Amino acid sequence: DGAQRKGLSFSLDDKLKIAQLLDSFRVPYIEGGWPGSNPKDAEFFRQVRASGLKNSTVVAFGCTTKVGVRAEDDLNLRAILDADTKAAAIVGKTWSLHVQEVLKTDLEENLRMISDSVRFLKQHGREVIFDAEHFFDSFAYAPDYAIKVAATAHEAGAVWIVLCDTNGRCVPSEVQKVVSSMMLAVPAR
């Protein structure tokens, strides 16, 4: 929702006004926040439904299910459903380093978490956007695993796979090369 910057915190009213403005610009998707993270974001989703947006699809954001937890038992994914949006964006670990060091799990469990989360949201009628966190770092370190993560989300039903340059280190030519490789490896729907 654009509020990750230090010292920036939108009020609920700010977020609703921004959503109206973006809708008037015909922005196709508006990521409204993380409904499972705080009461303000949960309230935003309640109020934006009644605001009469005409052009934009509001998106609830969250992460994949937790290690060892089934998607249907994950409170974060339940909060995304409770936001009652047509689309959901979920972030998942793409870089094996983060899977092992941050999530403290193995690569196969990470793939299970991604697949289970995407399928769960799809089964509940959501258009799923998969945010492949640190994708370009992963691709540089272990391209086969990066591709496997994207393919897993795709096969589970994600409509969009967002290849994130989370650290912002890639130059445009590198982005083009990696995206071209991905287009061959994971065909569009």
Side-chain angles (χ1 to χ4, degrees):
D1 65 0
Q4 293 84 20
R5 187 173 161 250
K6 184 178 179 181
L8 180 64
S9 178
F10 296 125
S11 70
L12 175 59
D13 191 50
D14 291 337
K15 290 179 72 147
L16 291 166
K17 287 177 182 176
I18 291 168
Q20 288 288 341
L21 187 61
L22 293 172
D23 184 63
S24 75
F25 293 155
R26 298 182 181 277
V27 171
Y29 293 92
I30 300 170
E31 190 261 282
W34 190 319
S37 69
N38 64 76
K40 178 177 66 177
D41 280 1
E43 184 60 25
F44 167 80
F45 290 104
R46 280 191 283 283
Q47 290 192 28
V48 79
R49 280 192 300 275
S51 70
L53 298 183
K54 296 180 177 90
N55 305 300
S56 302
T57 298
V58 176
V59 180
F61 181 81
C63 62
T64 61
T65 189
K66 306 291 184 266
V67 174
V69 176
R70 297 179 323 157
E72 57 266 21
D73 297 328
D74 188 89
L75 297 178
N76 167 63
L77 293 174
R78 287 279 173 202
I80 290 172
L81 292 181
D82 290 345
D84 198 26
T85 59
K86 292 181 182 176
I90 56 169
V91 63
K93 300 292 185 200
T94 306
W95 195 0
S96 57
L97 173 73
H98 290 168
V99 172
Q100 296 162 331
E101 298 298 322
V102 176
L103 294 180
K104 304 286 188 206
T105 194
D106 62 66
L107 303 181
E108 288 305 312
E109 172 64 2
N110 185 55
L111 296 175
R112 188 230 27 110
M113 293 161 49
I114 292 165
S115 179
D116 197 26
S117 300
V118 172
R119 285 184 203 287
F120 175 74
L121 293 169
K122 288 290 289 182
Q123 289 168 350
H124 286 86
R126 300 310 185 272
E127 176 183 0
V128 180
I129 302 162
F130 180 71
D131 182 323
E133 182 181 52
H134 290 281
F135 182 83
F136 289 87
D137 297 311
S138 177
F139 196 89
Y141 178 75
D144 290 344
Y145 189 70
I147 291 168
K148 196 173 206 177
V149 167
T152 296
H154 179 264
E155 290 164 10
V159 177
W160 297 94
I161 310 292
V162 181
L163 307 179
C164 299
D165 184 16
T166 309
N167 289 332
R169 66 165 189 77
C170 292
V171 296
S173 61
E174 186 177 358
V175 170
Q176 179 190 20
K177 179 180 156 192
V178 171
V179 170
S180 294
S181 297
M182 287 304 299
M183 296 300 288
L184 295 172
V186 182
R189 286 196 198 283

